Amino acid sequence: MLTQRLTFAVVIVVAGCMAQTTEPSGTPDMKVAAAPAKVFKWKMVTTWPKNYPVLGTAPERFAKAVNEMSNGRLQIKVFGAGEIVPALEVFDAVSRGTVQMGHGVAYYWKGKVPEAQWFAAVPFGFTAREVNGWLHYGGGLALWREVYKPHGIIPFAGGNSGTQMGGWFNKEVNSLADIQGLKMRIPGLGGEIFKRAGGVPVLLPGSEIFTALQTGAIDATEWVGPYNDLAFGLHKAAKYYYSPGWHEPGPILELMVNEKAYNTLPDDLQAIVKYGARYSNQDMLDEYTARNIEALEKLVGEHDVQLRTFPPDVMKRFRELAAEVMKDERDRSELGKRIYDSFMKFKAGSRAYFQVAEDAYGEVR
Ligand code: CA
């Protein structure tokens, strides 16, 4: 044992010496070039409360990674919603250059940029894996850049929640008849589809969902998935937990960079932002995967939550209406049409592939 320890100590000493002897061996030129590096101090505003689980902590983690990779040459300070600008003004703040970066979801900007809807959550659209394939290797990101270009913003995929849950219901949904007049908190394109199917979509910020459900002001709500839903205590306000999250099968979170600010960065810092976004995009999905597994176990095992799946006739009707709604989005502009074509072409291919790959495996595991 003593011998082993001594050997270990010797190895440490030798390694230490080697490190010391290799360091000064750089060329004289390198020493001349070692002027103090310019430090960039950026601000990032988000649509989330400061440090909100995953959605708010992911941009903080991105900033930390960028700081480490750049050895402190690019420092990004993250601000929660309302600290510099309200949540729904994040896009404008980045566009104007009030701040250099923003973190949010593209469907918040649909009033200014209708095509942004394609880069957030498309009902019956892509899962996280599919959307990342489309964005990074199927032409999707180039189209997104085109959408934001007139606003002086460069978008990056900056996270994904994975397939969300269908939501919390106080009554079982056994057929389309049960949707008629049902008041549900469900935003965006999913809400539009729900409305066309006879439901009553209600818009509420996350902070008001629990009370609205508990008091009966709404009959149902969607939020995110087991981890965030458990944190809000939604299982205390409704009995049935439905899947799948047809309305948000793989929603993209976004990192936005002011184009002028990006162009002032030297090449290596631009690369750190670019690859840092790829890290952040995957890291959020990984965290959601692990946390959702634990949270679903708790919901079912400790809180006796009743899991349900939507009946086939409801899913069929929602799917038909989703096709209509997405055609309406297509017809908004020439760019909308190009995005639609690219999206649907990739989706047809990915559907065929996943049927024989992960879907097939899901049936037999
Ligand atoms: Ca949601």
Side-chain angles (χ1 to χ4, degrees), residues 106-129:
Y107 53 44
Y108 290 140
W109 330 125
K110 66 172 181 175
K112 300 177 186 71
V113 192
E115 296 87 358
Q117 295 268 33
W118 292 97
F119 305 98
V122 174
F124 295 96
F126 294 136
T127 62
R129 248 188 89 183

Side-chain angles (χ1 to χ4, degrees), residues 286-354:
D286 298 347
E287 184 175 10
Y288 264 122
T289 300
R291 305 254 187 261
N292 280 333
I293 290 169
E294 295 164 4
L296 185 64
E297 279 171 7
K298 268 192 194 153
L299 286 169
V300 175
E302 294 174 24
H303 300 292
D304 295 326
V305 164
Q306 302 288 307
L307 295 179
R308 294 286 185 274
T309 52
F310 291 114
D313 72 321
V314 171
M315 284 297 94
K316 181 170 175 286
R317 185 68 189 133
F318 283 8
R319 198 165 48 240
E320 289 163 0
L321 291 168
E324 275 180 33
V325 166
M326 296 326 292
K327 278 180 188 153
D328 291 349
E329 293 302 314
R330 173 193 66 186
D331 296 340
R332 286 177 188 280
S333 65
E334 182 273 334
L335 181 51
K337 182 179 182 309
R338 281 192 288 125
I339 299 168
Y340 179 94
D341 290 345
S342 170
F343 190 100
M344 292 306 170
K345 183 168 182 285
F346 197 93
K347 193 183 158 195
S350 72
R351 198 169 164 208
Y353 165 64
F354 275 90

Side-chain angles (χ1 to χ4, degrees), residues 8-329:
F8 186 61
V10 169
V11 170
I12 296 280
V13 170
V14 170
C17 292
M18 284 170 71
Q20 276 189 346
T21 50
T22 50
E23 256 176 40
S25 68
T27 63
D29 290 351
M30 282 170 70
K31 284 183 183 167
V32 174
K38 181 170 163 57
V39 172
F40 293 82
K41 293 193 175 179
W42 279 15
K43 292 182 179 127
M44 188 202 298
V45 290
T46 72
T47 55
W48 322 110
K50 182 86 177 157
N51 283 318
Y52 185 81
V54 192
L55 298 173
T57 53
E60 302 277 359
R61 207 173 286 161
F62 166 82
K64 183 170 178 283
V66 166
N67 191 32
E68 285 176 14
M69 289 190 284
S70 68
N71 200 21
R73 289 165 53 226
L74 178 52
Q75 298 171 16
I76 302 170
K77 191 164 164 41
V78 180
F79 296 85
E83 289 191 305
I84 295 181
V85 291
L88 298 184
E89 285 174 29
V90 164
F91 185 90
D92 287 342
V94 179
S95 177
R96 282 195 305 262
T98 310
V99 296
Q100 292 80 13
M101 286 194 76
H103 188 272
V105 187
Y107 53 44
Y108 290 140
W109 330 125
K110 66 172 181 175
K112 300 177 186 71
V113 192
E115 296 87 358
Q117 295 268 33
W118 292 97
F119 305 98
V122 174
F124 295 96
F126 294 136
T127 62
R129 248 188 89 183
E130 290 171 322
V131 88
N132 283 322
W134 178 60
L135 287 174
H136 300 117
Y137 290 94
L141 188 58
L143 288 163
W144 195 2
R145 296 256 156 97
E146 206 178 326
V147 171
Y148 281 12
K149 181 80 180 165
H151 304 274
I153 293 176
I154 304 173
F156 295 89
N160 200 300
S161 69
T163 305
Q164 297 202 352
M165 287 293 284
W168 297 87
F169 292 75
N170 271 317
K171 288 183 295 185
E172 280 187 274
V173 178
N174 293 316
S175 73
L176 261 180
D178 293 327
I179 299 294
Q180 306 313 304
L182 194 78
K183 275 192 275 180
M184 177 171 184
R185 185 267 179 193
I186 177 168
L189 294 169
E192 176 61 26
I193 292 161
F194 189 72
K195 188 167 101 185
R196 291 190 193 185
V200 181
V202 178
L203 280 180
L204 282 178
S207 56
E208 292 173 27
I209 293 176
F210 177 80
T211 308
L213 190 60
Q214 201 181 37
T215 58
I218 54 173
D219 307 307
T221 186
E222 70 82 53
W223 178 228
V224 181
Y227 182 60
N228 286 140
D229 292 7
L230 175 67
F232 264 173
L234 297 178
H235 57 284
K236 294 178 198 157
K239 192 173 172 188
Y240 302 108
Y241 197 20
Y242 272 81
S243 67
W246 56 274
H247 60 302
E248 297 194 69
I252 308 166
L253 286 294
E254 63 178 358
L255 277 166
M256 296 180 278
V257 187
N258 176 278
E259 191 176 359
K260 278 189 196 137
Y262 188 77
N263 289 338
T264 63
L265 294 178
D267 290 350
D268 64 332
L269 293 185
Q270 285 186 351
I272 284 171
V273 170
K274 186 168 79 172
Y275 297 119
R278 287 298 290 273
Y279 150 75
S280 193
N281 189 43
Q282 185 64 42
D283 187 66
M284 184 191 285
L285 184 64
D286 298 347
E287 184 175 10
Y288 264 122
T289 300
R291 305 254 187 261
N292 280 333
I293 290 169
E294 295 164 4
L296 185 64
E297 279 171 7
K298 268 192 194 153
L299 286 169
V300 175
E302 294 174 24
H303 300 292
D304 295 326
V305 164
Q306 302 288 307
L307 295 179
R308 294 286 185 274
T309 52
F310 291 114
D313 72 321
V314 171
M315 284 297 94
K316 181 170 175 286
R317 185 68 189 133
F318 283 8
R319 198 165 48 240
E320 289 163 0
L321 291 168
E324 275 180 33
V325 166
M326 296 326 292
K327 278 180 188 153
D328 291 349
E329 293 302 314

